[in-house]
Amino acid sequence: MIDRLRSAWEARSRREQIMLAAMGLALLLVVGWFAVLVPLNSAVKGSEARLRKAADRFAQLDGAARTRGLPVTSGQPLQTVVEASAAAAGLTIDRRREEADGRLTIWLTGAEPGLMMGWLTSLARAQGVAVSEMTASRTDGGLLEAQITLGRTAP
């Protein structure tokens, strides 16, 4: 097989050999470009986009975690603390219901998941208000509809 290729190569004129070598090199460059460099470039761009998105998400969560509402005092009702901190975090409470045991159930619609979770974390850490029950579902736009029951944590 190699002997046949060698004899076919030697049967070509010097000019044809140079043209075939140039064509092989061009073919190698094109295949290398589309088989290696283009996919690598796409992977790098995708990674950069995911990194930017993760950095934005981290900044959003970090900001939400640092958000502080009103300080908890013995005279403030749970509803006041929850509403003030939700407003400070940029969340709108659509509905609220005070439970007989002192807990508060709220409904949120159109809440950004990271913002809502950051707010709940901040609420627990800064004001001693914890989630006792929660139901959430994602809407078509990626936002959340949630029903959250909150109560004060034991001192």
Side-chain angles (χ1 to χ4, degrees):
M1 171 87 175
I2 292 181
D3 290 335
R4 281 188 9 189
L5 288 174
R6 188 178 309 218
S7 65
W9 178 259
E10 290 171 356
R12 306 278 176 219
S13 69
R14 181 73 180 145
R15 182 176 174 202
E16 288 176 330
Q17 289 176 348
I18 292 172
M19 287 176 27
L20 286 171
M23 183 182 70
L25 180 63
L27 183 63
L28 183 64
L29 289 174
V30 167
V31 167
W33 180 265
F34 286 106
V36 177
L37 294 177
V38 170
L40 282 177
N41 192 29
S42 293
V44 167
K45 286 182 181 179
S47 295
E48 289 171 346
R50 286 190 306 275
L51 176 63
R52 277 193 302 276
K53 186 175 179 180
D56 290 346
R57 178 68 122 206
F58 174 76
Q60 184 181 35
L61 290 173
D62 189 46
R66 294 176 190 270
T67 301
R68 309 259 178 186
L70 299 171
V72 175
T73 62
S74 59
Q76 289 182 314
L78 178 60
Q79 182 173 341
T80 304
V81 172
V82 170
E83 287 178 352
S85 65
L91 294 168
T92 303
I93 297 174
D94 296 319
R95 239 176 80 196
R96 65 199 52 73
R97 179 181 67 215
E98 285 197 54
E99 305 294 338
D101 59 0
R103 296 182 306 163
L104 177 69
T105 300
I106 61 169
W107 285 262
L108 303 172
T109 57
E112 157 59 41
L115 185 63
M116 185 182 78
M117 296 310 287
W119 169 66
L120 290 172
T121 301
S122 169
L123 195 60
R125 288 183 183 160
Q127 285 119 350
V129 177
V131 174
S132 58
E133 296 176 26
M134 179 172 152
T135 304
S137 61
R138 192 175 293 269
T139 63
D140 290 337
L143 300 177
L144 293 179
E145 292 179 342
Q147 177 182 344
I148 307 168
T149 301
L150 301 162
R152 294 205 188 263
T153 57

